[in-house]
Amino acid sequence: MRFRWMRQTSRAAVISATVTRVILQGISVEAALELSLPHYSINPGAISQFEYKRLVKDSKAELKRVEETRRDGTGRRRMRG
């Protein structure tokens, strides 16, 4: 059986779930991906090495973006009024 996503948006959902697990649980990206993948794919054991590496790379990039956004948002306070 070949690897298939459950829905068209499952790839983005896996990346989002992976980043959330890394931030909240403090585990590695690879471990978080292993936990998230079965919820969004038909046959997670059949994922190719290429697709797995792309998911890890995209998850790390998204994690970096979230951390930069979080860092930028807390540094400055706006004065209202």
Side-chain angles (χ1 to χ4, degrees):
M1 185 176 210
R2 69 184 192 101
F3 177 78
R4 285 190 355 212
W5 295 108
M6 285 186 184
R7 293 190 178 94
Q8 193 172 6
T9 57
S10 291
R11 187 173 194 285
V14 164
I15 293 171
S16 177
T18 301
V19 170
T20 303
R21 286 178 194 268
V22 168
I23 291 171
L24 296 179
Q25 296 177 350
I27 57 179
S28 69
V29 173
E30 290 82 8
L33 184 59
E34 291 293 327
L35 291 172
S36 302
L37 198 57
H39 296 284
Y40 298 99
S41 63
I42 303 289
N43 190 8
I47 190 167
S48 67
Q49 287 289 357
F50 179 73
E51 180 67 20
Y52 184 81
K53 286 180 183 178
R54 277 183 45 203
L55 284 171
V56 169
K57 178 183 164 198
D58 292 345
S59 295
K60 286 181 179 179
E62 189 65 22
L63 180 65
K64 182 179 176 186
R65 188 189 68 79
V66 166
E67 298 222 349
E68 286 175 355
T69 303
R70 186 169 54 176
R71 199 174 322 124
D72 289 344
T74 59
R76 281 182 254 143
R77 291 196 136 173
R78 286 187 169 165
M79 295 291 286
R80 294 186 184 201

